[in-house]
């Protein structure tokens, strides 16, 4: 298994994954031309990562492939949200109303459309073939992005967020959308997601309610799914929690799926990763490591069996060294799985 | 109709006197008597009359005051009308104001107009018609009209007492009770269990102050907004025939409509010269008396 930057040649695999992914995965729209644009933008982001400072949107797309080169999944990393298009969330606010006659106060909980998460780094576009979702692959594909960020630290923001698809019912309808979105957008959930994936998201600002949406007024079925994630994404969510991401007051505005956030430097993979030198040696390997080279366009990240010596050099197999595009003695980024 | 046979001839509208108590109490027993929620308990009638007599004699108009007018017909009291002035200036008065926002997206060819309710204190400083009743043998068209005519004359003489606007809060369907669809579907949602026994009028203070989107409310709630309970439908028509109209204000307790009119819309020469902070120049109106002709 190997993680590498997506290229334009991945378009067929990319389209297949987009077809299989849920409608709420708006960074993987069912639109080949749109996917091509995304692949080109990603290629350009990788090509420029070594010289470019922080500030552009830079949406990196990573592919994970098996030893035959079949693409099994994709993940994304956006250096800065809100650059090319506004980045919207719902934020849960609590306000007090006080009655001076009763000498009592009550708290009202309301959702407010906001751009608070604009200018943060975003993990997104995560989708893996249903039959390939092993814990090892999911970890590799998810955490490779954090090794990549560590390597090009000054390209990324201190705050990292990751959104998870919310709950839909057996008819692919979102109870939250039906309560909140439908009256304002006059269209079904999947239609709205499709528009969002392919059009400029300014229509959100045009149609979404600008005032607080009081949760007390919403139907029980809508309230129950606020901040709840689709079970299809439970593995990924558990990885994020183990990584140190935490639930926040932010939710997706279509399906109210949760938005987790974490300070980049406190994420486990970031904290535990370090630069190591690699030795090509058959050895009595002790542990599994995530190892990545230090390159941009030729970025590779592998899950390897390795043995760390006292000087901090990691012995890996010659095949793995070759897959990383490295020679013995080269530096790499490594972290225990 | 010649002056000699005018139906209002001989009717007198005058300031209340302490001795009117029993007659007014009897009028308020009429099934269609209108008593505002803000009038207070029945037992306080004597107190109200006392305050009103005082208000007529002081005529200072600097704080909330109650002016009670009675209709006299051949020496008998056959109608009563109450005006509360400067409402909401000591205790806030809450109303929803109905508004609209249009949301449009050219890209998606979507055009939605969304109704809103915004809780505010828009009636602050207005005068409220808080009490109205005519006797069993009287009619709104005759005795009611006489009362209104007399009160409008009072307003013409005393613009500085009465604010810019006259309002009347009419009870909604299943008014002001825990049975009101409007309250149950909106206000009640914001009230924690342990406070639900408190009176609805007080609980209004705990409602949110940013706009409420009507699409979030059930069709049952939306359908009763601005409706008036059946018992007061004649009274509503009567007020409307005298120039008051429902614009956009709604009682938060039950969705009942607030009828309103600017004094100057019904009294052309009504000329309010004083700002709230100015000293009043009004003379005592203790002897206010208006003979219909």
């Amino acid at each position: 298994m190997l993680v590498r930057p997506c290229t334009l040649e991945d378009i067929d695999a990319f389209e297949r994954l987009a077809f299989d992914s849920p409608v709420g995965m708006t960074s993987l729209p069912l639109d080949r031309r749109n996917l091509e644009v995304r692949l080109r933008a990603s290629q350009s982001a990788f090509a420029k990562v070594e010289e470019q400072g922080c500030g552009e949107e830079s949406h990196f797309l990573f592919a994970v492939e098996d030893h035959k080169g079949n693409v099994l999944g994709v993940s994304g990393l956006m250096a800065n949200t809100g650059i090319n298009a506004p980045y919207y969330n719902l934020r849960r606010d609590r306000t007090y109303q006080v009655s001076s006659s009763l000498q009592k106060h009550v708290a009202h909980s309301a959702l407010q459309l906001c751009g608070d998460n604009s200018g943060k780094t975003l993990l997104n576009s995560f989708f893996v073939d249903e039959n390939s979702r092993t814990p090892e692959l999911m970890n590799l594909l998810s955490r490779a992005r954090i090794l990549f960020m560590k390597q090009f630290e000054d390209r990324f923001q201190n705050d990292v967020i990751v959104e998870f698809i919310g709950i839909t019912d057996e008819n692919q309808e979102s109870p939250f959308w039906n309560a909140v979105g439908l009256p304002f957008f006059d269209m079904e959930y999947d239609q709205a997601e499709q528009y969002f994936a392919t059009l400029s998201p300014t229509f959100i600002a045009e149609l979404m309610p600008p005032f607080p949406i009081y949760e007390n007024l919403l139907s029980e079925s809508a309230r129950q799914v606020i901040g709840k994630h689709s079970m299809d994404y439970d593995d990924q969510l558990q990885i994020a929690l183990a990584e140190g991401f935490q639930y926040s007051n932010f939710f997706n505005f279509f399906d109210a799926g949760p938005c987790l956030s974490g300070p980049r430097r406190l994420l486990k993979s970031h904290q535990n990763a370090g630069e190591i030198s690699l030795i090509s040696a058959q050895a009595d390997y002790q542990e599994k490591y995530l190892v990545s080279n230090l390159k941009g366009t030729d970025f590779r990240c592998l899950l390897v069996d390795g043995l760390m010596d006292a000087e901090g050099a990691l012995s890996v197999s010659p095949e793995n060294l070759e897959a990383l595009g490295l020679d013995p003695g080269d530096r790499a980024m490594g972290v225990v799985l | 109709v010649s002056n000699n046979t005018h139906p209002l001839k001989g009717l007198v509208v005058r300031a209340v006197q302490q001795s009117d108590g029993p007659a007014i109490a009897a009028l308020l027993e009429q099934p269609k008597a209108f008593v505002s929620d803000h009038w207070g308990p029945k037992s306080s009638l004597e107190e109200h009359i006392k305050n009103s007599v005082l208000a007529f004699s002081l005529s200072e108009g600097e704080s909330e005051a109650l002016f009670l007018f009675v209709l006299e017909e051949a020496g008998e009291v056959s109608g009563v009308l109450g005006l509360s002035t400067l409402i909401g200036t000591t205790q806030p008065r809450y109303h929803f104001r109905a508004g609209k926002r249009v949301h449009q997206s050219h890209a998606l060819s979507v055009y939605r107009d969304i109704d809103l309710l915004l809780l505010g204190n828009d009636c602050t400083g207005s005068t409220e018609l808080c009490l109205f009743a005519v006797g069993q043998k009287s009619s709104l068209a005759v005795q009611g009209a006489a009362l209104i005519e007399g009160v409008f004359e009072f307003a013409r003489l005393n613009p500085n007492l009465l604010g810019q606007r006259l309002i009347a809060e009419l009870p909604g369907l299943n008014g002001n009770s825990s049975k009101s669809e409007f309250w149950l579907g909106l206000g009640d949602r914001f009230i924690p269990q342990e406070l639900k026994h408190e009176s609805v009028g007080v609980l209004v203070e705990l409602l949110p102050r940013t706009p409420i989107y009507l699409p979030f409310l059930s069709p049952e709630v939306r359908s009763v907004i601005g409706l008036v309970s059946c018992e007061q439908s004649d009274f509503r028509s009567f007020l409307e025939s005298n120039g008051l109209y429902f614009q956009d204000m709604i009682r938060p307790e039950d969705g009942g409509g607030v009828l309103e009119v600017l004094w100057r819309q019904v009294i052309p020469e009504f000329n309010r010269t004083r700002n709230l902070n100015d000293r009043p120049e009004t003379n005592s109106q203790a002897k206010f008396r208006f003979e219909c002709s």
Side-chain angles (χ1 to χ4, degrees):
Chain A
M1 278 183 300
L2 171 143
V3 168
R4 57 163 177 80
C6 285
T7 69
L8 213 47
E9 285 87 75
D10 292 321
I11 183 68
D12 290 331
F14 207 41
E15 195 174 32
R16 177 174 48 79
L17 290 166
F19 181 81
D20 291 338
S21 70
V23 64
M25 179 65 74
T26 49
S27 52
L28 295 178
L30 242 181
D31 177 338
R32 191 175 171 98
R33 187 173 292 177
N34 185 300
L35 293 173
E36 272 181 18
V37 170
R38 287 168 192 267
L39 286 175
R40 283 214 176 83
S42 171
Q43 275 190 307
S44 148
F46 276 107
K48 290 194 288 186
V49 68
E50 284 172 68
E51 74 261 22
Q52 178 189 311
C54 183
E56 288 196 31
E57 180 178 88
S58 300
H59 194 190
F60 303 93
L61 291 168
F62 300 85
V64 62
E65 59 181 35
D66 63 15
H67 62 284
K68 293 182 196 153
N70 298 316
V71 174
L72 305 177
V74 59
S75 69
L77 167 62
M78 187 182 279
N80 297 287
T81 57
I83 302 282
N84 296 353
Y87 189 78
Y88 293 112
N89 272 138
L90 291 174
R91 182 188 65 230
R92 175 178 276 156
D93 290 338
R94 279 173 80 75
T95 53
Y96 285 115
Q97 278 306 327
V98 179
S99 160
S100 45
S101 332
L102 294 174
Q103 292 293 304
K104 297 275 183 196
H105 65 272
V106 296
H108 301 313
S109 190
L111 302 174
Q112 172 78 57
L113 186 69
C114 74
D116 291 18
N117 279 328
S118 199
K120 296 186 177 176
T121 291
L122 171 73
L123 301 181
N124 66 356
S125 310
F126 193 99
F127 188 74
V128 176
D129 266 342
E130 209 170 334
N131 301 323
S132 309
R133 294 177 190 169
T134 62
E136 290 185 345
L137 182 140
M138 301 289 270
N139 263 284
L140 170 64
L141 181 60
S142 187
R143 294 168 65 188
R145 297 176 291 186
I146 296 168
L147 294 188
F148 184 77
M149 279 196 281
K150 175 145 188 170
Q151 185 179 319
F152 299 104
E153 266 202 87
D154 52 0
R155 304 291 182 275
F156 298 96
Q157 300 293 338
N158 291 328
D159 290 324
V160 184
I161 56 171
V162 51
E163 281 194 37
F164 292 89
I165 307 263
I167 304 272
T168 48
D169 64 17
E170 60 276 11
N171 304 318
Q172 297 306 306
E173 289 194 15
S174 155
F176 185 79
W177 176 261
N178 286 346
V180 172
L182 197 55
F184 290 88
F185 287 72
D186 196 23
M187 66 183 73
E188 298 298 325
Y189 166 72
D190 51 355
Q191 172 82 75
E193 291 277 22
Q194 185 67 20
Y195 277 137
F196 181 64
T198 52
L199 295 176
S200 159
T202 49
F203 76 86
I204 304 290
E206 291 165 346
L207 296 181
M208 267 303 254
F211 302 121
I213 300 162
Y214 289 99
E215 291 177 51
N216 294 16
L217 294 178
L218 301 181
S219 65
E220 194 56 36
S221 59
R223 295 173 65 175
Q224 270 174 358
V225 301
I226 297 171
K228 300 282 182 352
H229 63 281
S230 156
M231 284 320 279
D232 291 342
Y233 275 79
D234 194 52
D235 293 345
Q236 197 206 340
L237 186 114
Q238 298 309 328
I239 291 172
L241 290 175
E243 192 66 75
F245 283 99
Q246 295 192 333
Y247 282 97
S248 71
N249 272 337
F250 297 101
F251 311 98
N252 180 271
F253 45 79
F254 284 127
D255 59 17
C259 176
L260 274 57
S261 69
R264 181 166 48 80
R265 293 193 182 89
L266 295 183
L267 298 177
K268 295 258 163 41
S269 296
H270 179 99
Q271 283 196 307
N272 298 335
E275 269 195 39
I276 49 174
S277 65
L278 293 179
I279 301 170
S280 167
Q282 296 295 345
D284 184 12
Y285 300 127
Q286 298 292 315
E287 262 189 294
K288 287 187 184 298
Y289 291 85
L290 293 176
V291 180
S292 67
N293 64 20
L294 302 180
K295 299 175 181 176
T297 297
D298 295 322
F299 176 79
R300 298 288 182 273
C301 183
L302 254 58
L303 180 63
V304 301
D305 294 312
L307 178 66
M308 188 75 77
D309 70 17
E311 280 83 47
L314 185 71
S315 297
V316 299
S317 71
E319 297 78 29
N320 282 336
L321 198 60
E322 194 192 334
L324 285 167
L326 296 177
D327 294 320
D330 279 351
R331 308 288 291 172
M333 189 73 75
V335 65
V336 176
L337 176 65
Chain B
V1 180
S2 81
N3 263 352
N4 296 340
T5 58
H6 193 284
L8 301 189
K9 190 148 177 70
L11 301 184
V12 172
V13 177
R14 62 161 171 81
V16 74
Q17 296 162 4
Q18 202 64 49
S19 57
D20 292 327
I24 294 174
L27 286 170
L28 295 185
E29 293 300 319
Q30 296 290 321
K32 293 205 167 176
F34 169 73
V35 182
S36 157
D37 285 347
H38 305 280
W39 171 257
K42 268 186 180 172
S43 56
S44 50
L45 178 61
E46 288 300 318
E47 191 72 17
H48 281 318
I49 292 173
K50 209 166 100 190
N51 290 339
S52 180
V53 168
L54 194 66
F56 276 112
S57 68
L58 294 177
S59 294
E60 290 208 333
E62 282 191 311
S63 58
E64 294 191 22
L66 175 67
F67 293 93
L68 288 175
F69 302 87
V70 296
L71 180 72
E72 245 182 39
E73 205 171 352
E76 298 281 308
V77 170
S78 63
V80 62
L81 187 155
L83 293 183
S84 276
T85 65
L86 291 175
I87 60 169
T89 53
T90 51
Q91 181 72 21
R93 287 282 286 270
Y94 294 95
H95 293 98
F96 279 124
R97 177 151 258 172
K100 216 179 248 305
R101 295 276 295 216
V102 168
H103 292 231
Q104 178 179 31
S105 167
H106 287 294
L108 272 58
S109 301
V110 174
Y111 189 100
R112 305 288 282 166
D113 61 78
I114 306 286
D115 291 317
L116 307 165
L117 289 177
L118 178 62
L119 190 67
N121 311 104
D122 295 303
C123 289
T124 305
S126 298
T127 291
E128 181 191 12
L129 200 167
C130 60
L131 196 71
F132 189 95
V134 291
Q136 210 166 5
K137 295 175 199 148
S138 310
S139 77
L140 286 175
V142 179
Q143 284 77 4
L147 266 170
I148 290 285
E149 196 179 332
V151 166
F152 281 8
E153 173 63 11
F154 179 82
R156 193 180 65 77
L157 296 172
N158 301 281
N160 293 341
L161 289 178
L162 298 177
Q164 304 280 11
R165 188 163 44 167
L166 173 66
I167 68 152
E169 272 191 34
L170 298 181
L173 285 191
N174 296 322
N176 197 1
S177 73
S178 52
K179 285 184 203 138
S180 154
E181 289 94 343
F182 184 82
W183 176 255
L184 290 176
L186 206 174
D188 186 65
R189 303 279 196 111
F190 293 98
I191 305 302
Q193 197 60 42
E194 67 270 20
L195 294 179
K196 293 207 178 190
H197 64 277
E198 299 284 354
S199 86
V200 168
V202 173
L203 291 175
V204 167
E205 289 180 18
L206 293 171
L207 302 189
R209 304 298 153 83
T210 57
I212 304 281
Y213 295 103
L214 286 195
F216 295 150
L217 306 183
S218 69
E220 296 75 50
V221 175
R222 302 172 66 174
S223 67
V224 302
I225 290 174
L227 295 189
V228 168
S229 81
C230 303
E231 293 91 71
Q232 295 302 342
S233 59
D234 290 348
F235 185 52
R236 175 184 185 151
S237 305
F238 168 71
L239 291 178
E240 285 171 342
S241 68
N242 281 287
L244 284 84
Y245 57 95
F246 172 65
Q247 184 166 296
D248 56 9
M249 278 198 291
I250 289 150
R251 279 165 48 83
E253 296 91 344
D254 54 25
V258 176
L259 301 191
E260 58 181 300
V261 70
L262 293 173
W263 284 113
R264 63 176 159 77
Q265 290 175 292
V266 286
I267 304 169
E269 60 272 50
F270 184 89
N271 184 15
R272 191 165 177 274
T273 53
R274 186 171 70 88
N275 289 323
L276 265 184
N277 298 328
D278 296 342
R279 293 294 303 168
E281 295 162 9
T282 315
N283 301 319
S284 166
Q285 290 290 334
K287 304 281 185 218
F288 173 76
R289 182 181 166 88
F290 175 72
E291 289 189 27
C292 299
S293 57

